[in-house]
Amino acid sequence: MITAGELKQIAEFLCTSMEELASIPENYEEMNVFHAFMGQVKTKEAQQSIQDIDAMIDLILFHDNVKKNGIAMREEWTDF
């Protein structure tokens, strides 16, 4: 995670504002990075490896979110 201080340093280095760095452009399209590599590999085995790695990353991220949600659910709820 990037801190506000680090974001400010990055903005200054790039000669832009923190708001500009933190905003999402209107024409933003989320892209799966691994699909960009699919056209670069020559063999079916390499393509399968890229798909396997992509699936593993998705599983890792999913289980990380499950863990974070589980930890949050263990905390006492005081907002009723």
Side-chain angles (χ1 to χ4, degrees), residues 3-72:
T3 66
E6 292 168 334
L7 186 61
K8 183 178 180 188
Q9 289 177 334
I10 293 168
E12 288 172 358
F13 180 79
L14 295 174
C15 300
T16 190
S17 69
M18 289 175 54
E19 292 79 17
E20 184 68 28
L21 283 178
S23 67
I24 298 174
E26 289 180 24
N27 60 351
Y28 171 77
E29 284 185 43
E30 192 160 328
M31 181 179 161
N32 188 331
V33 176
F34 285 99
H35 291 149
F37 291 108
M38 273 300 191
Q40 302 298 318
V41 296
K42 307 268 188 266
T43 65
K44 293 279 185 194
E45 292 82 8
Q47 287 180 351
Q48 185 62 50
S49 294
I50 290 173
Q51 290 174 346
D52 292 344
I53 291 168
D54 189 31
M56 285 176 35
I57 289 171
D58 287 342
L59 283 171
I60 290 167
L61 293 173
F62 170 78
H63 286 286
D64 183 53
N65 284 332
V66 168
K67 179 182 175 186
K68 287 177 186 173
N69 289 337
I71 291 169

